[in-house]
Amino acid sequence: MSFDTTLIAADWDMQKLAAAPMRELHGYWDQRRRGRAMPARADIDIALIPTLLQYIFLIDVIDAGRDFRFRLAGTHFRDVTDQEVTGQHVGEAFPEEFGADVRRVWTKVVGEKRPARGTGSLWIPGREHVKWEGIAMPLAEDDQIVNMLLGGVLFNLGRHA
């Protein structure tokens, strides 16, 4: 089932994940839950998934999901976008309309306490031909209140159509 945003096609169906690294990352998150609704940050050991590090991001959930800040963003993000977003809030990292969509999707992840998949086009003018697939998954120290998101993004650097 999908949900409405302007620039991001988002849904809850993890079976739709097309990119192998995003499927792997979701599998790792799922395994680390150990029967709980979601794992805690302490359950995530990125050293166990070295091939995925370049795609990963960790997000601090601020004010119960009203805002978000990049704690870490993998090198794939920086290499493709020419942006270093570590330490930035969503509103600093993305243009206004795209950032609003990111915030909507991530707020739903926090509220629903389940992973969401998203796809779209690169938000950088002149580079809209670059498509992406991403995933955002909740983390909670107490299995109740989401305080971080573990996610990933893979950009498809195909040529202009």
Side-chain angles (χ1 to χ4, degrees):
M1 181 167 140
S2 63
F3 49 90
D4 293 333
T5 62
T6 304
L7 300 172
I8 298 173
D11 62 60
W12 303 112
D13 188 355
M14 296 301 106
Q15 298 301 313
K16 289 183 179 178
L17 286 168
M22 298 305 99
R23 290 193 308 270
E24 274 184 66
L25 185 57
H26 177 258
Y28 176 74
W29 175 89
D30 193 44
Q31 181 263 327
R32 301 307 289 180
R33 291 188 313 148
R34 297 184 179 125
R36 296 169 293 169
M38 61 203 117
R41 169 61 182 99
D43 296 319
I44 304 300
D45 182 354
I46 58 176
L48 297 177
I49 49 174
T51 60
L52 300 178
L53 290 179
Q54 64 182 321
Y55 308 111
I56 287 176
F57 55 80
L58 279 172
I59 304 295
D60 291 320
V61 175
I62 300 169
D63 197 18
R66 289 179 188 82
D67 200 5
F68 301 90
R69 179 180 46 240
F70 282 90
R71 179 173 288 209
L72 134 81
T75 57
H76 181 65
F77 187 98
R78 184 185 64 236
D79 292 347
V80 172
T81 67
D82 295 324
Q83 295 176 273
E84 176 54 69
V85 296
T86 300
Q88 291 185 352
H89 289 255
V90 168
E92 298 169 306
F94 301 114
E96 185 176 349
E97 190 175 7
F98 189 83
D101 266 11
V102 169
R103 198 175 290 109
R104 274 191 281 280
V105 172
W106 290 354
T107 297
K108 285 187 179 284
V109 171
V110 170
E112 295 284 329
K113 301 177 184 173
R114 60 181 176 157
R117 170 190 166 269
T119 59
S121 298
L122 193 61
W123 53 91
I124 299 171
R127 299 194 57 210
E128 296 87 354
H129 65 281
V130 176
K131 304 301 181 196
W132 59 267
E133 179 179 53
I135 186 170
M137 300 166 288
L139 302 175
E141 299 306 316
D142 60 1
D143 201 36
Q144 296 296 316
I145 299 171
V146 177
N147 64 329
M148 291 188 80
L149 302 177
L150 169 66
V153 65
L154 179 71
F155 296 98
N156 180 345
L157 302 175
R159 298 278 180 222
H160 293 275

